[in-house]
C-alpha cells in the first residue's frame, strides 16, 4: 500500500499521506475492495489522525485519489477508561482529525479504534510504547560519491534498556526557506535491538550541501520508538516498493491488525524524540 511509506515523511515532520492504496498480495486480490484504515498515536501528537480509504489493485487503471478516500465514515478513538473522541474528516489532509487534547495519549496505555464504513464496523487496538529515546548523537562528514549526496550524516542512538525496541529514523536539512531536503537513510532508517540488546543503534544517511546554502543550515533529527506491527508494516512496505519491477522478488504481505470484513491497515502507537541543531 503506497501511502503507508509516507509515514517516513511524517516521522521527519512532513505530514503528507497519499490516499491511494495499492494491494497486490495474491490472497488479498481475491477479496472484494478493501477498506484501508491507518492511524498512528503518539504522546507527542498535537492532532489525532486516522485515514480511511478504499483499495485498488495495481493491475486496474489509475483513478483519481479523491475517489479512493472515504469521507463519510464514523471514526472514534477511546481509552481504557471509556473516554472517547469522534474524529472529523478534513479535506486538506485527507484524514479524520481531532485535537490531541480531546483524548491525551499516555505512554504505556491501551487505545481503541472503531470505524464504521457503509454500515460495517472495523476495530483495532494499540499500546503506546512506555519509553522514548533519550540520547541521539550525530556526526557530519564530507562524502564524495557519484551515487549519494556530498555529506554523510552518521547517527548514534542510545538503545532503550532491557526491552526489545523498534526504531524508525528520519531527518531533514533546511538550507533555506526553499531548500528542505529529506535525508536518505535507505534501509538503515529501520533499526531494532533484537539480538543486540542494550547496544548503540547506528544509521547513516546522505544529503547534499548546495553551493548557495546558508551558513546556518538546520538539521532536524527524529527517532520513533514504535510498536512492532508499525515497524514491520512500514519496513515491509519499503522493501516491497524497493523491489517493485524486480522479476526475482516476491511481494511480502504487509501486517494487518484491523478487525472487520475486508478491513486492512495498521493502528499502532509510537513515541517520538526530536533533536534540532544548527551547523
Amino acid at each position: 500500500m503506497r501511502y503507508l511509506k509516507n509515514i517516513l515523511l511524517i516521522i521527519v515532520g512532513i505530514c503528507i499521506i497519499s490516499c491511494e492504496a495499492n494491494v497486490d498480495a495474491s490472497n488479498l486480490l481475491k477479496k472484494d475492495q478493501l477498506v484501508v484504515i491507518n492511524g498512528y498515536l503518539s504522546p507527542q501528537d498535537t492532532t489525532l489522525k486516522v485515514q480511511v480509504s478504499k483499495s485498488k489493485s495495481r493491475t486496474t487503471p489509475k483513478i483519481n485519489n479523491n475517489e479512493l478516500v472515504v469521507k463519510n465514515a464514523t471514526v472514534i478513538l477511546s481509552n481504557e477508561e471509556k473516554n472517547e473522541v469522534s474524529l472529523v474528516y478534513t479535506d486538506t489532509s485527507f484524514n479524520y482529525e481531532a485535537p490531541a487534547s480531546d483524548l491525551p495519549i499516555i505512554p504505556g496505555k491501551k487505545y481503541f479504534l472503531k470505524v464504521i464504513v457503509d454500515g460495517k464496523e472495523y476495530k483495532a487496538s494499540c499500546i503506546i510504547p512506555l519509553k522514548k529515546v533519550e540520547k541521539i548523537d550525530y556526526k557530519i562528514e564530507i562524502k564524495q560519491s557519484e551515487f549519494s549526496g556530498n555529506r554523510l550524516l552518521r547517527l548514534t542512538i542510545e538503545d532503550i534498556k532491557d526491552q526489545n525496541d523498534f526504531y524508525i529514523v528520519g531527518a531533514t536539512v533546511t538550507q533555506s526557506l526553499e531548500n528542505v531536503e529529506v535525508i536518505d537513510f535507505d534501509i538503515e532508517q529501520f533499526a531494532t535491538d533484537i539480538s543486540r540488546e542494550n547496544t548503540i543503534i547506528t544509521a547513516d544517511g546522505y544529503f547534499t550541501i548546495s553551493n548557495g546554502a546558508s551558513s546556518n543550515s538546520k538539521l532536524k533529527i527524529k527517532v520513533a520508538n514504535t510498536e512492532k506491527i508499525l515497524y514491520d508494516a512500514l519496513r515491509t512496505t519499503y522493501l516491497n516498493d524497493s523491489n517493485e519491477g524486480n522479476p526475482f522478488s516476491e511481494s511480502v504481505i504487509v501486517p494487518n491488525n484491523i478487525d472487520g470484513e475486508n478491513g486492512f491497515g495498521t493502528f499502532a502507537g509510537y513515541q517520538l524524540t526530536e533533536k534540532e541543531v544548527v551547523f
Side-chain angles (χ1 to χ4, degrees), residues 40-55:
Y40 317 112
L41 302 182
S42 167
Q44 293 77 38
D45 287 339
T46 57
T47 303
L48 306 173
K49 298 180 181 181
V50 173
Q51 189 176 77
V52 184
S53 63
K54 296 291 184 71
S55 68

Side-chain angles (χ1 to χ4, degrees), residues 144-156:
Q144 298 297 339
S145 172
E146 160 181 22
F147 302 106
S148 64
N150 58 30
R151 295 294 187 275
L152 167 66
L153 172 65
R154 175 156 292 168
L155 298 182
T156 56

Side-chain angles (χ1 to χ4, degrees), residues 21-34 55-60 251 253 262 264:
N22 295 307
V23 179
D24 61 358
S26 58
N27 64 328
L28 295 176
L29 284 174
K30 297 176 183 178
K31 296 183 178 181
D32 296 332
Q33 188 176 39
L34 302 179
S55 68
K56 81 176 186 69
S57 168
R58 294 184 188 273
T59 61
T60 60
S251 293
I253 298 175
N262 291 332
F264 196 87

Side-chain angles (χ1 to χ4, degrees), residues 126-195:
C126 71
I127 297 177
I128 309 302
L130 191 59
K131 298 179 180 180
K132 66 177 185 176
V133 169
E134 295 296 339
K135 186 176 180 181
I136 303 170
D137 291 320
Y138 76 97
K139 182 178 182 181
I140 297 176
E141 302 175 0
I142 296 176
K143 182 71 174 180
Q144 298 297 339
S145 172
E146 160 181 22
F147 302 106
S148 64
N150 58 30
R151 295 294 187 275
L152 167 66
L153 172 65
R154 175 156 292 168
L155 298 182
T156 56
I157 301 160
E158 186 173 296
D159 183 32
I160 299 171
K161 303 299 184 184
D162 301 323
Q163 61 182 48
N164 288 334
D165 300 288
F166 302 89
Y167 304 110
I168 300 176
V169 176
T172 57
V173 170
T174 301
Q175 300 179 45
S176 68
L177 291 177
E178 299 79 23
N179 188 350
V180 179
E181 181 179 356
V182 178
I183 295 178
D184 180 16
F185 288 95
D186 199 17
I187 191 63
E188 291 188 25
Q189 63 196 286
F190 303 99
T192 179
D193 61 359
I194 291 180
S195 77

Side-chain angles (χ1 to χ4, degrees), residues 36-107:
V36 183
I37 301 168
N38 287 286
Y40 317 112
L41 302 182
S42 167
Q44 293 77 38
D45 287 339
T46 57
T47 303
L48 306 173
K49 298 180 181 181
V50 173
Q51 189 176 77
V52 184
S53 63
K54 296 291 184 71
S55 68
K56 81 176 186 69
S57 168
R58 294 184 188 273
T59 61
T60 60
K62 186 174 180 62
I63 62 175
N64 191 299
N65 285 349
N66 290 335
E67 297 179 47
L68 295 169
V69 181
V70 177
K71 301 181 180 181
N72 60 350
T74 298
V75 179
I76 298 173
L77 288 173
S78 60
N79 60 17
E80 295 173 283
E81 289 72 39
K82 309 299 182 184
N83 299 313
E84 64 178 41
V85 58
S86 295
L87 278 61
V88 178
Y89 179 77
T90 304
D91 275 315
T92 55
S93 67
F94 303 111
N95 292 317
Y96 288 82
E97 300 183 354
S101 57
D102 288 354
L103 187 72
I105 306 302
I106 300 172

